[in-house]
Amino acid sequence: MAASITHPALSSLYKINSNINGIYSLISFNRRISISSVRSSSAVATETEASGRGVRVSGVLVLIAQAGEPRSERMAVDQDWTAVYPTAASFKPAAVPLPVRMGYPVKRGVPPAKKGNLELIKIPNFLHLTPVAIKKHCEALKRDSVTEWPSALDSDEKCMKRFPIQVQSKEFVSAGLSLRNPDARIVTLKVKLSSLNLDDHARKKMIKLSEERYCKDTDTLTITTDSCPLRKQNYDYAMYLLTVLYHESWKTEAWEQEKTRADMEEYEWEDSPSQKKVLDTLLRMRALGAKDEVEEGTREELLGQPVVQEYRDTMLRLKNEGETEENLHKYKEAVKKLFNI
Amino acid sequence: MAACVSSIRSVRVLSKIIHGHFLPAAAVQHQASSSRWLHGTRGSALSPAVSLTEEPDTLYQELSVRVKGHDRAVLDSYEFFATLAARELGLTLDRAFEPRKHTEKLTLLKSVHIFKKHRVQYESRTHQRCIQMSRVTGSTARVYLEYIQRNLPEGVAMEVTKTSVEKIPEHIQKPLWTDCTLE
């Protein structure tokens, strides 16, 4: 009998994919077969069966591949990890030299070890994105097309002064039945009316034209467009709307002369019933025996008095800003001064 | 010649890190030559593959990246990656916070037939992270977003909100009609 040498190459020669219960087996053989010495087949069979490397499946001796030493044993501590996991890959327990455990613990035990652990393979890992790897990537990216923000625009106010129009849009990345997201086409354009070249009439007309798109507190006009299928088209449409609003508000149509008191945006004291009442009251307050008719000169004089002006201010504040404690208090003071109480 | 060979090898490793596969030989040769060119002229910052255009770069006043997923640990790691990448590329990070998770609950009948009183409840939790950056240029944003999006893990969705600032266009600066009245 020839001396039996357990050739380690033999164990890696055969790859078996079989159901050991003997229902069926699929065996694939590697073509490279090197046999160091010629031995009788029966001797080889008994020897492999004894050593545990072979199993009899329905009379056929099937060799089981034995795992060698995991690669993690031979890894140096200061190795280049970016070479082990250069891109996103599933968790390979033999390639990761960490004693990781994951899963629900066995009764009165610990979570299962990493070898053959499906939980570790299922979860996305970030082994390819270590801080060293990220820094390497960013170094390479910085060399390419990364530009700096202009240093003169370091605060928000400077930005808004130079670039008053703000355009907002969204992008979506997700995996599903479809890559598209219809919300990606929506474009929102925001601009402060104070930054546009508008006169008084144009500003009022623009506010009236934009109705609910204008916010009085922040003086912002917000145009949201989603009627076109592409983002670029919606952006162009928003700019077109802004242009049209601007130019239309500078025009004065013939029918704008018919603007009544009810159409006014703010309360005006001139020619208001309040002014007439004040005038009337002041005239009655004059010394008895004065003339009944009023001349233009005296009317202007009466209205020009500081008490009347103060009353006018408080009335404007009450009507335009609303009724607050402070406003009502000032109104009371103004009325008292008017009547010399 | 040895230096050339070593530089080609380093370029191949670098390309493998970035692209995940070895580039074909022609492209690698070009990269090798470009890397040699870079070593030679240290002053220039751009490789020959990148060109400057006359078109002004868009300016983003705010860039907000919101990621959503079912696993909080994955989002933790992703946040670390995104914030580190932003810092390395020189972006100003405003804040990185965690909006409240959204839970969707479902109450179904436990049995196939009758037993209305016995139900089973399922829930689906969606965790979120939001990373806000301010004052980013268009090309930097493009590079950063592509890098972030290519490394988005499985099962995580992303929503990017960009707010760009622009000047008032030429046609809005002055009114067309100098005499305002139009009869």
Side-chain angles (χ1 to χ4, degrees), chain B residues 68-85:
Chain B
K68 299 184 191 180
H70 292 302
D71 199 329
R72 207 164 166 267
V74 169
L75 292 179
D76 280 337
S77 309
Y78 190 75
E79 187 195 339
F80 174 79
F81 156 65
T83 46
L84 183 61

PDB file of all heavy atoms in Angstrom, chain B residues 68-85:
ATOM      1  N   LYS B  68     -35.132  59.140   3.850  1.00  0.00           N
ATOM      2  CA  LYS B  68     -36.138  58.387   4.602  1.00  0.00           C
ATOM      3  C   LYS B  68     -35.862  56.903   4.462  1.00  0.00           C
ATOM      4  O   LYS B  68     -35.492  56.433   3.371  1.00  0.00           O
ATOM      5  CB  LYS B  68     -37.532  58.661   4.016  1.00  0.00           C
ATOM      6  CG  LYS B  68     -37.945  60.089   4.090  1.00  0.00           C
ATOM      7  CD  LYS B  68     -39.371  60.263   3.594  1.00  0.00           C
ATOM      8  CE  LYS B  68     -39.653  61.731   3.440  1.00  0.00           C
ATOM      9  NZ  LYS B  68     -40.992  62.004   2.975  1.00  0.00           N
ATOM     10  N   GLY B  69     -36.039  56.168   5.544  1.00  0.00           N
ATOM     11  CA  GLY B  69     -35.811  54.725   5.471  1.00  0.00           C
ATOM     12  C   GLY B  69     -36.495  54.029   6.626  1.00  0.00           C
ATOM     13  O   GLY B  69     -36.967  54.682   7.558  1.00  0.00           O
ATOM     14  N   HIS B  70     -36.508  52.710   6.579  1.00  0.00           N
ATOM     15  CA  HIS B  70     -37.174  51.959   7.637  1.00  0.00           C
ATOM     16  C   HIS B  70     -36.233  51.605   8.769  1.00  0.00           C
ATOM     17  O   HIS B  70     -36.677  51.169   9.821  1.00  0.00           O
ATOM     18  CB  HIS B  70     -37.773  50.669   7.060  1.00  0.00           C
ATOM     19  CG  HIS B  70     -38.910  50.934   6.133  1.00  0.00           C
ATOM     20  ND1 HIS B  70     -40.035  51.625   6.518  1.00  0.00           N
ATOM     21  CD2 HIS B  70     -39.096  50.616   4.840  1.00  0.00           C
ATOM     22  CE1 HIS B  70     -40.864  51.712   5.496  1.00  0.00           C
ATOM     23  NE2 HIS B  70     -40.321  51.109   4.463  1.00  0.00           N
ATOM     24  N   ASP B  71     -34.922  51.779   8.566  1.00  0.00           N
ATOM     25  CA  ASP B  71     -33.955  51.367   9.582  1.00  0.00           C
ATOM     26  C   ASP B  71     -33.182  52.580  10.078  1.00  0.00           C
ATOM     27  O   ASP B  71     -32.508  53.263   9.300  1.00  0.00           O
ATOM     28  CB  ASP B  71     -32.995  50.349   8.954  1.00  0.00           C
ATOM     29  CG  ASP B  71     -32.272  49.549  10.016  1.00  0.00           C
ATOM     30  OD1 ASP B  71     -32.027  50.083  11.113  1.00  0.00           O
ATOM     31  OD2 ASP B  71     -31.949  48.384   9.734  1.00  0.00           O
ATOM     32  N   ARG B  72     -33.273  52.845  11.393  1.00  0.00           N
ATOM     33  CA  ARG B  72     -32.652  54.043  11.939  1.00  0.00           C
ATOM     34  C   ARG B  72     -31.128  53.955  11.924  1.00  0.00           C
ATOM     35  O   ARG B  72     -30.436  54.949  11.736  1.00  0.00           O
ATOM     36  CB  ARG B  72     -33.151  54.238  13.372  1.00  0.00           C
ATOM     37  CG  ARG B  72     -33.118  55.657  13.793  1.00  0.00           C
ATOM     38  CD  ARG B  72     -33.946  55.897  15.031  1.00  0.00           C
ATOM     39  NE  ARG B  72     -33.595  57.191  15.561  1.00  0.00           N
ATOM     40  CZ  ARG B  72     -32.674  57.389  16.495  1.00  0.00           C
ATOM     41  NH1 ARG B  72     -32.056  56.376  17.035  1.00  0.00           N
ATOM     42  NH2 ARG B  72     -32.378  58.604  16.892  1.00  0.00           N
ATOM     43  N   ALA B  73     -30.588  52.745  12.116  1.00  0.00           N
ATOM     44  CA  ALA B  73     -29.128  52.594  12.166  1.00  0.00           C
ATOM     45  C   ALA B  73     -28.508  52.915  10.806  1.00  0.00           C
ATOM     46  O   ALA B  73     -27.437  53.534  10.730  1.00  0.00           O
ATOM     47  CB  ALA B  73     -28.767  51.168  12.587  1.00  0.00           C
ATOM     48  N   VAL B  74     -29.194  52.491   9.737  1.00  0.00           N
ATOM     49  CA  VAL B  74     -28.679  52.770   8.388  1.00  0.00           C
ATOM     50  C   VAL B  74     -28.657  54.282   8.152  1.00  0.00           C
ATOM     51  O   VAL B  74     -27.693  54.830   7.601  1.00  0.00           O
ATOM     52  CB  VAL B  74     -29.557  52.057   7.331  1.00  0.00           C
ATOM     53  CG1 VAL B  74     -29.226  52.526   5.940  1.00  0.00           C
ATOM     54  CG2 VAL B  74     -29.391  50.565   7.444  1.00  0.00           C
ATOM     55  N   LEU B  75     -29.714  54.958   8.616  1.00  0.00           N
ATOM     56  CA  LEU B  75     -29.754  56.413   8.434  1.00  0.00           C
ATOM     57  C   LEU B  75     -28.689  57.106   9.264  1.00  0.00           C
ATOM     58  O   LEU B  75     -28.129  58.123   8.841  1.00  0.00           O
ATOM     59  CB  LEU B  75     -31.138  56.957   8.787  1.00  0.00           C
ATOM     60  CG  LEU B  75     -32.260  56.561   7.841  1.00  0.00           C
ATOM     61  CD1 LEU B  75     -33.572  57.149   8.314  1.00  0.00           C
ATOM     62  CD2 LEU B  75     -31.994  57.032   6.435  1.00  0.00           C
ATOM     63  N   ASP B  76     -28.389  56.576  10.435  1.00  0.00           N
ATOM     64  CA  ASP B  76     -27.300  57.132  11.262  1.00  0.00           C
ATOM     65  C   ASP B  76     -25.992  57.113  10.494  1.00  0.00           C
ATOM     66  O   ASP B  76     -25.283  58.122  10.383  1.00  0.00           O
ATOM     67  CB  ASP B  76     -27.125  56.299  12.544  1.00  0.00           C
ATOM     68  CG  ASP B  76     -28.146  56.652  13.595  1.00  0.00           C
ATOM     69  OD1 ASP B  76     -28.684  57.769  13.536  1.00  0.00           O
ATOM     70  OD2 ASP B  76     -28.381  55.812  14.482  1.00  0.00           O
ATOM     71  N   SER B  77     -25.678  55.920   9.942  1.00  0.00           N
ATOM     72  CA  SER B  77     -24.416  55.792   9.205  1.00  0.00           C
ATOM     73  C   SER B  77     -24.407  56.695   7.984  1.00  0.00           C
ATOM     74  O   SER B  77     -23.387  57.312   7.661  1.00  0.00           O
ATOM     75  CB  SER B  77     -24.210  54.347   8.742  1.00  0.00           C
ATOM     76  OG  SER B  77     -24.377  53.467   9.803  1.00  0.00           O
ATOM     77  N   TYR B  78     -25.557  56.789   7.311  1.00  0.00           N
ATOM     78  CA  TYR B  78     -25.614  57.611   6.103  1.00  0.00           C
ATOM     79  C   TYR B  78     -25.419  59.074   6.442  1.00  0.00           C
ATOM     80  O   TYR B  78     -24.776  59.823   5.703  1.00  0.00           O
ATOM     81  CB  TYR B  78     -26.947  57.399   5.376  1.00  0.00           C
ATOM     82  CG  TYR B  78     -26.963  58.030   4.013  1.00  0.00           C
ATOM     83  CD1 TYR B  78     -26.271  57.443   2.962  1.00  0.00           C
ATOM     84  CD2 TYR B  78     -27.629  59.217   3.779  1.00  0.00           C
ATOM     85  CE1 TYR B  78     -26.253  58.021   1.722  1.00  0.00           C
ATOM     86  CE2 TYR B  78     -27.614  59.802   2.538  1.00  0.00           C
ATOM     87  CZ  TYR B  78     -26.931  59.196   1.511  1.00  0.00           C
ATOM     88  OH  TYR B  78     -26.911  59.776   0.275  1.00  0.00           O
ATOM     89  N   GLU B  79     -25.971  59.486   7.582  1.00  0.00           N
ATOM     90  CA  GLU B  79     -25.807  60.885   8.003  1.00  0.00           C
ATOM     91  C   GLU B  79     -24.339  61.176   8.265  1.00  0.00           C
ATOM     92  O   GLU B  79     -23.816  62.220   7.863  1.00  0.00           O
ATOM     93  CB  GLU B  79     -26.630  61.136   9.260  1.00  0.00           C
ATOM     94  CG  GLU B  79     -26.659  62.584   9.668  1.00  0.00           C
ATOM     95  CD  GLU B  79     -27.164  62.764  11.083  1.00  0.00           C
ATOM     96  OE1 GLU B  79     -27.850  61.865  11.597  1.00  0.00           O
ATOM     97  OE2 GLU B  79     -26.853  63.814  11.666  1.00  0.00           O
ATOM     98  N   PHE B  80     -23.650  60.235   8.916  1.00  0.00           N
ATOM     99  CA  PHE B  80     -22.226  60.428   9.185  1.00  0.00           C
ATOM    100  C   PHE B  80     -21.464  60.582   7.874  1.00  0.00           C
ATOM    101  O   PHE B  80     -20.622  61.482   7.706  1.00  0.00           O
ATOM    102  CB  PHE B  80     -21.698  59.224   9.985  1.00  0.00           C
ATOM    103  CG  PHE B  80     -20.220  59.234  10.190  1.00  0.00           C
ATOM    104  CD1 PHE B  80     -19.657  60.036  11.166  1.00  0.00           C
ATOM    105  CD2 PHE B  80     -19.383  58.467   9.414  1.00  0.00           C
ATOM    106  CE1 PHE B  80     -18.284  60.062  11.359  1.00  0.00           C
ATOM    107  CE2 PHE B  80     -18.017  58.492   9.596  1.00  0.00           C
ATOM    108  CZ  PHE B  80     -17.466  59.290  10.573  1.00  0.00           C
ATOM    109  N   PHE B  81     -21.803  59.702   6.905  1.00  0.00           N
ATOM    110  CA  PHE B  81     -21.135  59.750   5.605  1.00  0.00           C
ATOM    111  C   PHE B  81     -21.395  61.081   4.902  1.00  0.00           C
ATOM    112  O   PHE B  81     -20.471  61.736   4.404  1.00  0.00           O
ATOM    113  CB  PHE B  81     -21.634  58.568   4.766  1.00  0.00           C
ATOM    114  CG  PHE B  81     -21.533  58.749   3.291  1.00  0.00           C
ATOM    115  CD1 PHE B  81     -20.297  58.871   2.681  1.00  0.00           C
ATOM    116  CD2 PHE B  81     -22.660  58.802   2.500  1.00  0.00           C
ATOM    117  CE1 PHE B  81     -20.190  59.030   1.316  1.00  0.00           C
ATOM    118  CE2 PHE B  81     -22.559  58.964   1.133  1.00  0.00           C
ATOM    119  CZ  PHE B  81     -21.324  59.084   0.544  1.00  0.00           C
ATOM    120  N   ALA B  82     -22.673  61.516   4.877  1.00  0.00           N
ATOM    121  CA  ALA B  82     -23.011  62.731   4.135  1.00  0.00           C
ATOM    122  C   ALA B  82     -22.387  63.971   4.769  1.00  0.00           C
ATOM    123  O   ALA B  82     -21.889  64.852   4.058  1.00  0.00           O
ATOM    124  CB  ALA B  82     -24.533  62.883   4.051  1.00  0.00           C
ATOM    125  N   THR B  83     -22.390  64.026   6.101  1.00  0.00           N
ATOM    126  CA  THR B  83     -21.826  65.208   6.767  1.00  0.00           C
ATOM    127  C   THR B  83     -20.316  65.256   6.594  1.00  0.00           C
ATOM    128  O   THR B  83     -19.735  66.327   6.366  1.00  0.00           O
ATOM    129  CB  THR B  83     -22.187  65.226   8.259  1.00  0.00           C
ATOM    130  OG1 THR B  83     -21.961  63.927   8.794  1.00  0.00           O
ATOM    131  CG2 THR B  83     -23.632  65.585   8.478  1.00  0.00           C
ATOM    132  N   LEU B  84     -19.666  64.094   6.666  1.00  0.00           N
ATOM    133  CA  LEU B  84     -18.211  64.087   6.477  1.00  0.00           C
ATOM    134  C   LEU B  84     -17.851  64.493   5.055  1.00  0.00           C
ATOM    135  O   LEU B  84     -16.924  65.271   4.830  1.00  0.00           O
ATOM    136  CB  LEU B  84     -17.653  62.692   6.802  1.00  0.00           C
ATOM    137  CG  LEU B  84     -16.138  62.551   6.708  1.00  0.00           C
ATOM    138  CD1 LEU B  84     -15.467  63.474   7.693  1.00  0.00           C
ATOM    139  CD2 LEU B  84     -15.703  61.128   6.981  1.00  0.00           C
ATOM    140  N   ALA B  85     -18.636  63.965   4.094  1.00  0.00           N
ATOM    141  CA  ALA B  85     -18.368  64.311   2.697  1.00  0.00           C
ATOM    142  C   ALA B  85     -18.559  65.815   2.473  1.00  0.00           C
ATOM    143  O   ALA B  85     -17.768  66.461   1.775  1.00  0.00           O
ATOM    144  CB  ALA B  85     -19.297  63.525   1.770  1.00  0.00           C
TER     145      ALA B  85
END
